[in-house]
Amino acid sequence: MGHNVEGNGHQLNRPYDGSILMWVGAWRPRGLVALAGALFVLAVGAAVAGIVLLRGAPSSASTSFEIGKWLLQLGTVLAGTGFITAVLRQAEVTRAKREAWTTMLQDLAVGQDAVEGATMRLISDATAETYADLIEKCRELRTLLRRIMALPEAYQHDSELRRQLHRMRVYLKPLILEYERHYLRVVRQHRLDEMILEARLQESVKDSRRRAVPTLPAPLGQPLGVGRLLSDGREFPALATLRGDFNRDEIEFFPHSEIDEAYERVKALLRRHIGMKGRRPAAIPKP
């Protein structure tokens, strides 16, 4: 999807296509739980009725005695069925939870990678388009984090998972606000840069006709107005912090940066819910 950097100053969020919606029906299996409970109640009722009939039967050959035996057998079958239903349902709930947490972990990794990729593109070519793309990825990641925070396990304010998710959202928020604040200035500078670049390229085309091998003039290989503007840490402090936290050699955030520490902590907590163990492997030293 292309990015339209001219408009009302707001990038519309694309529909989030990551499947992290929790299966409420699976997490709160009221239907089958009620069925298992009903089976147990019926089993108890049948057993009680059977015992009463057996105790009141005049002889072991009487009809009431046979009915009592049948009711006891029925109660045993109902109790076993209810127990098996409860066990199978619990296994299904556990599996559903694990799959849901796994999906969230995967979506979180994809969202973080998208922000890191957009950061690398901005550093390589700081334009209004790459800047807008970075902010869009930040918005999508914040939306994902908010969805996770709405889950019961992260709803409590003293939850460690909620605290780390909030920590990531707090880091990303100034970037978005900064973008909104400087939107018109960046977009119009971008248009001016394009006009200047086109004019200079046309001049270079005329000059190149006198040369055997046309080459790009050195000044045209340098950042233009938007590139210099976005590199100003006083005008864009949040963006400057993001740049400082980014490792260009590894195309990821530094391990001890605020955003990466919170991200790794959230991953560890999600893995705990899944039942996974292990930590991020140490970086392999370069030869």
Side-chain angles (χ1 to χ4, degrees):
M1 173 186 261
H3 303 286
N4 181 13
V5 297
E6 186 67 66
N8 63 357
H10 298 276
Q11 291 288 327
L12 296 178
N13 288 331
R14 292 177 295 183
Y16 177 69
D17 54 6
S19 176
I20 70 162
L21 295 180
M22 310 308 296
W23 306 325
V24 177
W27 286 49
R28 297 184 177 89
R30 297 172 182 172
L32 284 184
V33 169
L35 175 61
L39 288 173
F40 279 117
V41 170
L42 290 175
V44 171
V48 170
I51 293 172
V52 171
L53 287 175
L54 287 175
R55 296 185 64 179
S59 67
S60 60
S62 64
T63 303
S64 59
F65 187 86
E66 292 298 326
I67 294 175
K69 287 174 56 179
W70 180 82
L71 287 174
L72 284 177
Q73 294 173 353
L74 177 62
T76 302
V77 171
L78 290 174
T81 304
F83 177 76
I84 294 173
T85 301
V87 170
L88 292 179
R89 189 53 181 173
Q90 183 59 39
E92 182 182 350
V93 170
T94 301
R95 179 186 57 81
K97 285 184 178 182
R98 185 178 295 112
E99 289 181 356
W101 286 115
T102 300
T103 300
M104 281 188 290
L105 177 60
Q106 293 170 346
D107 291 339
L108 177 66
V110 170
Q112 181 79 350
D113 287 346
V115 172
E116 290 175 339
T119 302
M120 187 65 195
R121 289 190 293 274
L122 177 71
I123 293 175
S124 302
D125 182 21
T127 66
E129 291 181 356
T130 57
Y131 186 32
D133 180 60
L134 170 63
I135 299 306
E136 181 179 359
K137 297 299 186 295
C138 291
R139 282 176 171 155
E140 291 176 354
L141 182 55
R142 274 178 55 88
T143 300
L144 170 61
L145 297 172
R146 187 67 187 88
R147 288 175 180 268
I148 300 176
M149 290 175 68
L151 299 177
E153 286 75 7
Y155 188 74
Q156 299 298 328
H157 289 284
D158 58 350
S159 165
E160 175 66 11
L161 177 58
R162 183 182 183 87
R163 191 175 72 84
Q164 297 300 331
L165 290 167
H166 180 70
R167 185 179 173 190
M168 291 184 68
R169 282 175 54 85
V170 167
Y171 183 94
L172 297 171
K173 184 177 181 179
L175 288 162
I176 299 172
L177 295 178
E178 195 171 77
Y179 172 81
E180 297 291 343
R181 187 165 56 251
H182 295 285
Y183 176 80
L184 287 178
R185 183 180 178 188
V186 172
V187 170
R188 290 172 181 174
Q189 181 64 54
H190 175 75
R191 294 187 62 185
L192 179 60
D193 288 349
E194 287 184 329
M195 296 175 66
I196 293 174
L197 180 60
E198 182 63 26
R200 290 182 178 178
L201 287 174
Q202 291 296 335
E203 294 177 1
S204 299
V205 169
K206 296 177 182 179
D207 295 339
S208 66
R209 293 172 182 171
R210 308 191 192 104
R211 306 173 186 174
V213 181
T215 57
L216 182 71
L220 295 185
Q222 301 299 319
L224 296 179
V226 171
R228 292 193 295 269
L229 178 63
L230 295 179
S231 299
D232 189 346
R234 293 171 299 180
E235 293 281 349
F236 296 84
L239 187 59
T241 300
L242 183 77
R243 287 171 176 266
D245 290 339
F246 192 75
N247 186 343
R248 297 183 60 177
D249 295 332
E250 301 295 335
I251 317 180
E252 63 183 17
F253 293 111
F254 285 109
H256 299 297
S257 62
E258 179 74 10
I259 182 67
D260 192 75
E261 283 186 352
Y263 167 67
E264 290 297 330
R265 185 58 184 155
V266 170
K267 279 204 312 181
L269 293 169
L270 292 179
R271 284 172 175 166
R272 183 184 302 172
H273 283 287
I274 297 170
M276 298 172 57
K277 296 181 180 180
R279 302 173 63 183
R280 181 170 62 177
I284 300 176
K286 296 182 179 181

